[in-house]
Amino acid sequence: MSTAPACLGHGRVTITPALRAAVDRLDHRSRHQAAYHFGWITAGGAPTSADAGKAVRPALALLSAEAVGAPPEVALPGAVAVELVHNFSLVHDDLMDGDEERRHRRTVWKLWGSSSAILTGDAMLALAQEVLLDTGLPTAAPAARLLARTTRHLIRGQVQDLSFEQRSHVTVEECVDMAAGKTGALLSASAAIGAVLAGAPEATVDALALYGDQVGLAFQLVDDVLGIWGDPAVTGKPVHSDLRSRKKSLPVSYALNQEGPLSVELAAWFAAPGGPGGPGKPGEPGEPGEAELRRVAGLIEGAGGRDWALTEAARRLALAEDALRGVELDAGARDELVALGRFVVDREV
Amino acid sequence: MSTAPACLGHGRVTITPALRAAVDRLDHRSRHQAAYHFGWITAGGAPTSADAGKAVRPALALLSAEAVGAPPEVALPGAVAVELVHNFSLVHDDLMDGDEERRHRRTVWKLWGSSSAILTGDAMLALAQEVLLDTGLPTAAPAARLLARTTRHLIRGQVQDLSFEQRSHVTVEECVDMAAGKTGALLSASAAIGAVLAGAPEATVDALALYGDQVGLAFQLVDDVLGIWGDPAVTGKPVHSDLRSRKKSLPVSYALNQEGPLSVELAAWFAAPGGPGGPGKPGEPGEPGEAELRRVAGLIEGAGGRDWALTEAARRLALAEDALRGVELDAGARDELVALGRFVVDREV
């Protein structure tokens, strides 16, 4: 299990030169902003090495080739492409969500305005396809096709997420479908794209894709539990952060869809948090206090939302590992995939 | 020459079923907004047939296959893809420019908000690649590669356009380069993608791409002349519309880069339109009046901006036609391409 952090670090180191070479093709503004976003330069352009995230997706892409007996280099354009698609979505999401910081640095839209964030995100998305198709490999077309379809699902998840904010009732199934799009789709494509580039049989590609789908859902379930009950010292977010933003996350949607007085009380709170005074936003009058958020977290837990999410995460992780056992894979790479899946899911809850 | 409007109408009719089938794959919100944008439904969802633009790009794509002796059906996924990329850029541009109307209908962002416009545009861009790659044709990969590279140039042009607004001095070369990205790149790809899908030789593809590049620049030169001197009854825009928005268009950049008192006076106006009172926006105090705009248009004409732009447009159109004569092409399709190029360029100036 101790191999996962090493594997992630190795993935980051492996892809960075190719990712930088790809970003260098962009026009000077998009290049600057993308390089800033990836943590390579400061806003002013000075070299730096800021936190660029865990690079889970490139690591999965490289392991995906190794798992089917191909050298990881075969997956390199795929690893770069999935990282570009992930970061296209982050740059656009930060703008849409109005998030001013990511990894303790100002976001692209906050520094350079919304038009820049739109264009830099667009440029990264187009570049992802270009990197794959420039290889000239006969397997580039199916890999690019997988990535285009995945992007459609990723956007579908984002659209659902936005629509849920405006709806009073969301089923658990809809919420899982949203997470499958927003989180599962690209992890699935990452876990499959190396095998696609290596020309692996369809059944093997499908098994790796299923592993990625399930790891993605398990990750999101745990992430949502941490968003409500996580220790701020561990998550780096305020306590009850997802309740403060009234996010209809997976444990919340489960709890809201149960029978009984706790769910009724919870639904009333989500309809008008902060009580009859109406919804309060952070820092505004009417913002729910700590005691109230603790009470709401208790309602979700009492209605079974926390237990369900953790049980469901464990079930999804087991399904992911089952998928890897159902096909012939390189044993070492399979072990690394299992370790990586557990690493991204098994966080302090 | 009378064939061009028929050819455009035919192109629109040919691609619409395939374009609608592609859009049907999107999530329900993006599908609705894209269908509205394409003029197929009202904002409320009722069927309609609003103006969806001239569909120049799909017509070029279909002719591009015919020009190399292939049936136009070969180009159909390419025609759909270039129309999707064009409309992705329109949906994002309308948001970035704050344009509330397009073709006399409210824009996507105006109706559904900026997040919707971002996501619907993103979805169209990803869908363009998916449509091409789903064909499974061996030529889909080079076509998708052409489209990804083209999208990068299109975004580069848009980035340059935005940056010019913030700069006091722009060279003619920079302005031409911007137009080559923003207008030329996708017309070039449209004129080449049918031939790429048909597996035509590189020299033929390059000639068609060059034709599209030059038609794109000629179109933009004429469009910029109309933006200053166009008859509102013909253009559908207010008189002097590009001067009202102080756009550093091609004739303006030419005039600004000449020697002499007219250019100096023009530069002073662009630095502080409306005189010492500072820049005035339409509808605000300080907005330049009709007499002032006429005077500025006269300065540009006096410095040679109008003549240069029209001469340059004619030269570019001739280069486009030369490019078509340099390779072996189907005579009928070549004639249609020539007619289409003249049709989009030769407007009432």
Side-chain angles (χ1 to χ4, degrees), chain B residues 113-197:
Chain B
S114 56
S115 293
S116 281
I118 292 170
L119 290 167
T120 297
D122 291 348
M124 286 176 169
L125 177 56
L127 189 60
Q129 290 289 352
E130 204 179 350
V131 165
L132 276 176
L133 294 160
D134 273 359
T135 62
L137 291 172
T139 52
R145 184 184 178 197
L146 169 64
L147 200 66
R149 192 174 67 225
T150 298
T151 307
R152 174 158 57 80
H153 289 301
L154 179 67
I155 294 166
R156 188 249 305 153
Q158 178 66 21
V159 167
Q160 286 170 306
D161 197 17
L162 286 177
S163 78
F164 291 173
E165 288 174 13
Q166 298 149 13
R167 286 169 50 184
S168 59
H169 186 250
V170 175
T171 67
V172 176
E173 196 178 24
E174 286 175 315
C175 205
V176 169
D177 190 50
M178 182 272 281
K182 207 174 157 177
T183 310
L186 191 56
L187 285 169
S188 176
S190 302
I193 203 166
V196 171
L197 285 166

Side-chain angles (χ1 to χ4, degrees), chain A residues 78-159:
Chain A
V80 169
V82 293
E83 189 70 349
L84 282 167
V85 171
H86 177 55
N87 284 280
F88 133 77
S89 78
L90 295 182
V91 169
H92 279 191
D93 282 2
D94 285 342
L95 170 61
M96 292 187 283
D97 297 342
D99 288 338
E100 301 188 355
E101 288 205 351
R102 170 170 296 279
R103 300 183 204 111
H104 310 292
R105 301 167 88 218
R106 278 175 296 168
T107 46
V108 170
W109 76 265
K110 181 70 185 165
L111 279 167
W112 291 287
S114 55
S115 294
S116 282
I118 292 170
L119 290 167
T120 298
D122 291 348
M124 287 176 168
L125 177 57
L127 189 60
Q129 290 288 351
E130 203 177 352
V131 165
L132 275 176
L133 293 161
D134 273 359
T135 61
L137 291 172
T139 53
R145 185 183 178 197
L146 169 65
L147 200 65
R149 193 174 63 224
T150 298
T151 307
R152 175 159 56 82
H153 288 301
L154 179 67
I155 293 165
R156 188 249 303 156
Q158 178 65 21
V159 168

Side-chain angles (χ1 to χ4, degrees), chain A residues 132-345:
Chain A
L132 275 176
L133 293 161
D134 273 359
T135 61
L137 291 172
T139 53
R145 185 183 178 197
L146 169 65
L147 200 65
R149 193 174 63 224
T150 298
T151 307
R152 175 159 56 82
H153 288 301
L154 179 67
I155 293 165
R156 188 249 303 156
Q158 178 65 21
V159 168
Q160 287 170 305
D161 198 15
L162 286 177
S163 77
F164 292 173
E165 288 174 13
Q166 297 150 13
R167 286 169 50 183
S168 59
H169 186 249
V170 175
T171 67
V172 176
E173 196 177 24
E174 286 176 313
C175 204
V176 168
D177 190 50
M178 181 272 282
K182 207 174 160 178
T183 312
L186 191 55
L187 285 169
S188 176
S190 302
I193 203 166
V196 171
L197 285 166
E202 199 176 320
T204 310
V205 170
D206 289 349
L208 287 162
L210 179 58
Y211 155 86
D213 274 321
Q214 299 301 332
V215 166
L217 282 168
F219 168 83
Q220 195 56 59
L221 285 154
V222 171
D223 203 55
D224 284 357
V225 167
L226 290 170
I228 301 174
W229 294 279
D231 179 353
V234 175
T235 64
K237 295 179 188 172
V239 66
H240 305 311
S241 67
D242 279 358
L243 294 182
R244 287 175 202 276
S245 59
R246 293 182 289 283
K247 187 176 161 193
K248 291 193 195 80
S249 64
L250 288 156
V252 171
S253 78
Y254 178 88
L256 284 172
N257 281 285
Q258 302 313 300
E259 303 284 332
L262 296 178
S263 299
V264 172
E265 200 178 335
L266 193 61
W269 186 82
F270 269 91
K281 291 188 178 178
E284 289 179 7
E287 181 191 2
E290 290 301 325
E292 185 180 337
L293 293 171
R294 259 199 309 278
R295 182 180 68 84
V296 175
L299 291 174
I300 300 165
E301 189 160 4
R306 187 177 200 273
D307 282 351
W308 170 78
L310 293 176
T311 305
E312 186 66 6
R315 188 179 76 85
R316 298 280 185 180
L317 190 60
L319 285 174
E321 295 179 10
D322 284 352
L324 296 182
R325 277 190 289 268
V327 287
E328 201 177 319
L329 294 175
D330 173 271
R334 185 204 315 251
D335 288 348
E336 295 239 45
L337 284 169
V338 168
L340 192 54
R342 292 185 188 179
F343 178 77
V344 299
V345 174

Side-chain angles (χ1 to χ4, degrees), chain B residues 10 54 77 237 294:
Chain B
H10 174 71
K54 288 192 294 291
K237 294 178 189 173
R294 260 199 308 278

